Amino acid sequence: MSVATKRGPPPILDPERPRFLRLLGPGLITGASDDDPSGIATYSQAGAQFGFAISWTMLFSYPLMVAIQQISARIGRITGKGIAGNLRQHYPNWLLQAIVALLFIANTINIGADLGAMADALGLLIGGPVLIYVIAFGSFCAILQVLMAYRRYVAVLKWLTLALFAYFGTVMVVHVPWAEAARGLLLPTFLPNATFWTTVVAVLGTTISPYLFFWQAAQEAEDVRVEPERKPLLKAPHQGPHALERIRLDTYVGMAFSNLVALAIIVATAATLHAAGITDVESSSQAAEALRPVAGPFAFTLFALGIVGTGLLAVPVLAGSAAYAISEAWKWPVGLGRKPEKAKEFYVMLAIATLLGVALNFSPINPIKALYWSAVINGIVAVPIMVAMMHMTGNPRIMGKFPIHDGLRWIGWIATAVMALTAIIMGVTLIL
């Protein structure tokens, strides 16, 4: 009997499972980080204020989100640079600096709001000093990025995406009128008032957000730097078919996960808070607290634990995307795959963004109240960034032999037009 026979045939299914898991990387983490505590607050406010009538935005935004995030990822994988690096190389400096500055400001506010929401949620669960929790969470997130090896850090982020299942659990323990929920999802409702359109812009600004573009492109470029066998597709076009297929699958799965979680939050708050007449929710922790008397302690606990878990995922992504953008804009060594001494400025900017977020919780500025308008600002700021990205897709110096096919380009331009149109309608309704 041969050695091969003694050992038996090689396993067939096991190798496929880790291969599939390896395919899910930047897209999965990007999609999951979209449902951060600030996003939870926006979705909770939308569900509480408008009930199921706003849930159609999740179905509508999914193909737009998939298209723009695929384009972001392709830019990073093809060029080996993030969005800021390509802006610096191919576009006017004033455009680069303006976009990076707006991104840094919006991300810092988001970090502050997320840390505050995480601390509030933990305070609701176990009591204790909320501001101490803010410092602890901020320090932990910064240290995680600085000291942990890149591969292990990415693995931690993937595991943290499991925290989002808390919101599927919340939906399962509350009473949902599913027929009404289905109508809200499948039949769009439009209301002729500024509050409704501001909420639509906030929801779109949360699902299609600038920091997500920068993060996914930067992570694709980062993987090129840390994986010896990977090269920018401009230099290694033979790697293109497999790489682009991986990006497509990764993005489809990641964005579907993101929007299903967002839909679960809207459905849960619509079925409980809106039904109970609670229509004003300023923060994710307030939404969790409001759930306790309406939906019971178990729903409250699940919702609050989800806030902490998603925050631990999102804060490093927010700080990291800001650090990538600024470092590429100023030609500094960049990347979580580099040791701190090899990319000092990058890690300093990462720490500064996190520390400023912590400081917001100690200032007269209320980051929780700024949160909703930060989502609105993100929705407006996204428009010029998306225009620049779509222009990149037609630039052969950037895309090389891998131009974006017409279907994806059309959806990308439609996404850009939708973001611009909703911002214009919001402005008109505010004036009138």
Side-chain angles (χ1 to χ4, degrees):
M1 183 179 293
S2 68
V3 175
T5 305
K6 288 181 181 179
R7 291 180 178 176
I12 296 174
L13 294 178
D14 286 349
E16 295 299 319
R17 292 178 62 191
R19 180 178 180 273
F20 177 74
L21 292 175
R22 284 198 303 269
L23 291 176
L24 300 180
L28 176 65
I29 294 169
T30 301
S33 67
D34 190 27
D35 296 313
D36 66 327
S38 61
I40 294 167
T42 301
Y43 301 135
S44 299
Q45 173 62 29
Q49 190 164 20
F50 296 104
F52 300 113
I54 199 74
S55 60
W56 61 269
T57 54
M58 291 298 99
L59 189 61
F60 174 75
S61 66
Y62 176 67
L64 309 182
M65 191 180 184
V66 166
I68 206 69
Q69 289 302 142
Q70 266 201 79
I71 289 169
S72 304
R74 287 183 179 219
I75 290 171
R77 183 66 181 89
I78 290 169
T79 65
K81 299 174 185 175
I83 292 172
N86 281 288
L87 283 171
R88 175 177 54 79
Q89 185 173 354
H90 301 286
Y91 293 87
N93 185 61
W94 64 266
L95 178 63
L96 167 67
Q97 300 303 331
I99 285 175
V100 168
L102 290 171
L103 178 79
F104 185 81
I105 292 169
N107 282 18
T108 300
I109 294 172
N110 269 13
I111 291 169
D114 284 356
L115 291 172
M118 294 160 66
D120 286 341
L122 187 59
L124 290 174
L125 288 168
I126 65 173
V130 170
L131 290 179
I132 296 298
Y133 295 154
V134 169
I135 296 172
F137 281 133
S139 301
F140 176 76
C141 290
I143 291 170
L144 187 73
Q145 289 182 295
V146 173
L147 297 184
M148 186 171 285
Y150 177 72
R151 292 178 188 274
R152 188 173 298 175
Y153 170 71
V154 169
V156 169
L157 291 184
K158 285 185 181 181
W159 280 108
L160 284 173
T161 63
L162 296 177
L164 293 172
F165 281 96
Y167 298 106
F168 297 129
T170 303
V171 170
M172 293 175 65
V173 299
V174 302
H175 173 69
V176 178
W178 289 109
E180 186 181 350
R183 283 196 300 272
L185 179 65
L186 300 175
L187 300 176
T189 299
F190 302 97
L191 301 177
N193 61 69
T195 303
F196 174 80
W197 285 104
T198 302
T199 302
V200 171
V201 172
V203 168
L204 291 177
T206 302
T207 54
I208 304 174
S209 187
Y211 81 88
L212 302 176
F213 315 156
F214 280 82
W215 175 260
Q216 192 164 352
Q219 287 308 286
E220 288 292 341
E222 185 75 43
D223 285 347
V224 169
R225 285 190 290 269
V226 301
E227 299 281 352
E229 68 276 9
R230 291 190 185 181
K231 304 294 180 186
L233 299 187
L234 287 175
K235 298 180 180 179
H238 64 278
Q239 296 182 2
H242 174 74
L244 297 183
E245 179 61 21
R246 174 189 56 77
I247 286 171
R248 188 184 67 82
L249 176 63
D250 185 24
T251 306
Y252 268 94
V253 173
M255 301 310 118
F257 187 39
S258 171
N259 276 26
L260 285 172
V261 171
L263 181 61
I265 294 167
I266 291 174
V267 167
T269 52
T272 53
L273 304 185
H274 182 78
I278 301 171
T279 59
D280 188 19
V281 176
E282 288 188 346
S283 70
S284 52
S285 54
Q286 185 182 334
E289 192 170 22
L291 276 173
R292 181 159 27 194
V294 175
F298 189 55
F300 154 76
T301 301
L302 282 175
F303 204 94
L305 285 173
I307 293 169
V308 175
T310 59
L312 290 173
L313 169 65
V315 168
V317 171
L318 284 158
S321 63
Y324 274 111
I326 290 176
S327 297
E328 285 191 331
W330 288 91
K331 301 183 183 180
W332 294 334
V334 62
L336 292 166
R338 299 179 190 270
K339 294 185 180 297
E341 61 270 20
K342 300 293 185 180
K344 294 178 183 177
E345 297 90 347
F346 170 79
Y347 283 101
V348 166
M349 293 310 306
L350 191 154
I352 288 174
T354 306
L355 289 174
L356 287 176
V358 171
L360 276 177
N361 288 274
F362 291 84
S363 73
I365 300 171
N366 186 337
I368 300 300
K369 289 186 176 179
L371 189 56
Y372 184 79
W373 286 103
S374 174
V376 174
I377 292 168
N378 269 332
I380 296 170
V381 170
V383 176
I385 299 176
M386 292 167 72
V387 170
M389 287 171 52
M390 294 310 302
H391 189 270
M392 288 181 191
T393 64
N395 188 336
R397 291 184 299 166
I398 296 175
M399 308 308 291
K401 297 180 179 179
F402 300 95
I404 304 297
H405 62 77
D406 289 343
L408 188 58
R409 286 198 76 195
W410 273 108
I411 299 175
W413 277 116
I414 290 171
T416 305
V418 166
M419 296 294 286
L421 182 61
T422 52
I424 291 169
I425 293 174
M426 179 195 71
V428 171
T429 52
L430 284 172
I431 293 171
L432 299 178

